[in-house]
């Protein structure tokens, strides 16, 4: 019997999705950085991305980039570097996204010590209010001038991030501003910006509509590859799989019980006061996985007749009354995943990873 709970990973579907996105983007002159953070940089999955056409592997954590050191392609650090971690950044990342000149100066110092030149992409804030220099041209030119004086780093491009914090959707207008700033920087400082990075999977809708500004030549894609969804509107991308990753959990109890607890209702294990709908006696299965591993809101039962009722730290409770399958103790129940659920499951050391 296979170990449970487990994350089933189908590399053939990852390869298919990657090739689909690479083909879609390459038609408009856009190369892809494959984002590995959602599956904790499992090397076999990252390798499948590279084999299928991504040019760079990108992650937010140095710990994950270390796992990828034997894969022959450039590595990009997505999260702004910590000053306390500049040695590891220069050692394990070929490129990093930056917005603070102090950090870039430290990267330069460390790169010179290691006899390297570290590549920098300057991040601009176009309104989403996460990382980036506020995108007034004077602000940007001032920091560019300082970067160009540093010997241990090379400014290879500019980029932006949208949707992740403020929910701002990429558009011809805001990414057009990124393009405009890139052109002004190139002209004023007489430099080539090799990478104009127009965001993440939320930018795919512009590619699909052929509305991406023409100088945008890089996207950093995670969810669109691993789950086949663009993230501006949550739509499925044509000719992609949504189930390259699946959770499999085992039934450890199966009993008929009331649908409303008996007694005074107080707080649950997470400090919330739960509410219940009285549906009478129902057949309830308990699965050996819980909130320590995944938020149940991010699970989608493959058996559509199953309803997720809730979870404690270690137990997931589902209603199987209406299912056509007669479940028994020891059976496995399969779930498709939302992005947040995949991130948590990949991170949990209690969830086995089965790659096939």
């Amino acid at each position: 019997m296979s170990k449970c709970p487990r994350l089933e990973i189908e590399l053939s579907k990852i390869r298919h999705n990657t090739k689909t996105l690479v083909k879609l983007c390459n038609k408009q002159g856009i190369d892809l950085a494959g984002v590995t953070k959602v599956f904790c940089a499992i090397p076999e999955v990252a390798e499948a991305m590279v084999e299928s056409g991504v040019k760079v592997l990108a992650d937010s954590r140095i710990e994950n980039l270390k796992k990828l050191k034997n894969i022959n392609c450039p590595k990009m650090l997505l999260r702004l570097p910590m000053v306390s971690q500049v040695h590891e950044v220069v050692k394990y990342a070929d490129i990093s996204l930056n917005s603070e000149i102090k950090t870039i100066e430290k990267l330069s110092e460390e790169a010179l010590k290691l006899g390297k030149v570290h590549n920098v992409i300057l991040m601009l804030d176009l309104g989403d209010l996460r990382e980036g220099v506020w995108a007034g041209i004077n602000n940007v030119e001032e920091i560019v001038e300082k970067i160009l004086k540093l010997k241990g780093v090379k400014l290879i491009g500019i980029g932006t991030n949208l949707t992740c914090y403020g929910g701002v959707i990429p558009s011809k207008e805001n990414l057009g501003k990124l393009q405009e700033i890139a052109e002004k920087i190139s002209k004023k400082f007489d430099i080539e910006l090799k990478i104009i990075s127009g965001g993440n999977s939320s930018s795919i809708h512009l590619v699909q509509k052929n509305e991406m500004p023409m100088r945008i030549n890089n996207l950093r894609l995670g969810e669109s590859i691993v789950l086949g969804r663009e993230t501006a509107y949550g739509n499925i991308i044509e000719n992609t799989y949504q189930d390259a990753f699946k959770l499999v959990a085992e039934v450890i109890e199966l009993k008929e019980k009331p649908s409303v607890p008996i007694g005074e209702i107080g707080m649950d294990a997470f400090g919330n006061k739960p509410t219940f709908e009285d549906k009478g006696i129902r057949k309830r299965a308990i699965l050996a996985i819980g909130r320590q591993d995944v938020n149940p809101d991010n699970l989608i039962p493959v058996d559509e007749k199953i309803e997720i009722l809730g979870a404690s730290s270690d137990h997931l409770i589902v209603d199987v009354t209406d299912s056509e399958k007669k479940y028994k103790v020891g059976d496995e129940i399969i779930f498709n995943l939302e992005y947040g659920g995949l991130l948590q499951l990949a991170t949990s050391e209690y969830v086995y990873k089965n790659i096939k």
Side-chain angles (χ1 to χ4, degrees):
M1 180 179 287
S2 299
K3 291 181 176 180
C4 277
R6 68 181 183 275
L7 195 58
E8 294 276 6
I9 305 166
E10 295 187 58
L11 294 182
S12 61
K13 292 181 178 179
I14 294 295
R15 292 190 187 97
H16 177 90
N17 285 5
T18 304
K19 289 175 183 176
T20 297
L21 270 299
V22 166
K23 183 178 179 181
L24 176 68
C25 292
N26 282 179
K27 283 182 180 178
Q28 296 180 43
I30 299 169
D31 288 328
L32 301 188
V35 177
T36 61
K37 65 180 182 179
V38 73
F39 54 86
C40 283
I42 295 171
E44 293 90 339
V45 183
E47 189 78 63
M49 286 182 168
V50 174
E51 290 169 358
S52 304
V54 304
K55 298 295 187 182
V56 176
L57 290 174
D59 206 290
S60 297
R61 317 277 173 145
I62 285 295
E63 294 82 359
N64 284 343
L65 291 182
K66 288 180 182 178
K67 300 178 189 178
L68 306 176
K69 65 180 185 295
N70 294 324
I71 299 178
N72 186 27
C73 80
K75 315 301 186 308
M76 176 188 291
L77 179 64
L78 294 174
R79 186 167 66 184
L80 303 181
M82 292 183 272
V83 170
S84 62
Q85 215 172 28
V86 291
H87 177 78
E88 289 85 355
V89 174
V90 174
K91 184 174 181 180
Y92 294 104
D94 303 288
I95 308 164
S96 62
L97 309 184
N98 285 268
S99 66
E100 290 287 349
I101 189 62
K102 177 183 176 181
T103 306
I104 299 170
E105 289 169 349
K106 294 294 184 183
L107 289 169
S108 176
E109 292 173 12
E110 193 62 32
L112 290 172
K113 288 179 189 175
L114 295 175
K116 300 175 75 172
V117 175
H118 182 73
N119 295 315
V120 167
I121 293 175
L122 182 63
M123 295 298 283
L124 310 187
D125 190 338
L126 298 178
D128 197 61
L129 302 183
R130 204 179 76 173
E131 78 274 33
V133 179
W134 189 249
I137 188 63
N138 293 334
N139 296 339
V140 178
E141 288 181 353
E142 181 181 347
I143 195 169
V144 167
E145 189 170 11
K146 291 178 180 178
I147 295 170
L148 295 177
K149 292 177 181 177
L150 300 173
K151 294 183 178 180
V153 295
K154 182 178 181 181
L155 180 66
I156 62 167
I158 64 172
T160 195
N161 189 73
L162 295 162
T163 314
C164 282
Y165 173 71
V168 174
I169 291 175
S171 65
K172 288 190 295 183
E173 291 72 29
N174 54 30
L175 290 182
K177 186 174 183 180
L178 183 70
Q179 175 176 274
E180 178 186 332
I181 292 172
E183 291 169 351
K184 287 181 179 178
I185 290 170
S186 295
K187 185 175 181 180
K188 176 168 183 176
F189 296 99
D190 192 25
I191 58 172
E192 178 189 5
L193 294 176
K194 293 183 179 180
I195 295 177
I196 314 298
S197 188
N200 51 50
S201 294
S202 65
S203 294
I204 287 295
H205 77 103
L206 291 177
V207 181
Q208 291 172 315
K209 295 185 290 187
N210 201 26
E211 293 182 356
M212 182 67 75
M214 63 181 298
R215 285 212 57 192
I216 304 298
N217 63 5
N218 170 271
L219 291 177
R220 312 178 303 275
L221 301 187
E223 183 164 354
S224 54
I225 291 176
V226 300
L227 294 177
R229 287 195 291 265
E230 60 82 28
T231 59
Y233 302 99
N235 294 325
I236 289 171
I237 298 168
E238 185 179 356
N239 190 31
T240 61
Y241 293 101
Q242 285 68 59
D243 61 351
F245 294 81
K246 293 190 288 287
L247 169 66
V248 182
E250 184 176 331
V251 177
I252 56 174
E253 179 182 292
L254 185 65
K255 296 188 183 300
E256 291 189 349
K257 294 184 180 181
S259 47
V260 176
I262 298 169
E264 183 181 357
I265 305 297
M267 293 189 298
D268 64 16
F270 291 85
N272 303 309
K273 189 170 183 178
T275 58
F276 302 92
E277 180 183 355
D278 191 350
K279 295 183 178 180
I281 301 296
R282 306 289 288 179
K283 185 178 288 186
R284 298 148 58 90
I286 297 179
L287 311 183
I289 193 162
R291 288 184 180 270
Q292 185 164 348
D293 310 291
V294 66
N295 183 335
D297 294 340
N298 289 322
L299 302 178
I300 306 163
V302 171
D303 182 342
E304 296 179 356
K305 298 295 182 66
I306 289 177
E307 179 186 0
I308 296 173
L309 298 176
S312 61
S313 301
D314 309 297
H315 302 82
L316 179 68
I317 303 165
V318 299
D319 186 330
V320 298
T321 309
D322 299 327
S323 176
E324 295 174 5
K325 180 174 179 178
K326 303 303 179 185
Y327 290 99
K328 60 185 184 298
V329 171
D331 282 352
E332 296 177 342
I333 294 179
I334 303 171
F335 300 86
N336 290 326
L337 305 168
E338 302 285 0
Y339 184 86
L342 174 55
L343 181 67
Q344 291 174 303
L345 290 163
T347 304
S348 176
E349 64 180 279
Y350 306 109
V351 177
Y352 299 99
K353 282 70 179 180
N354 184 36
I355 302 167
K356 54 185 181 179

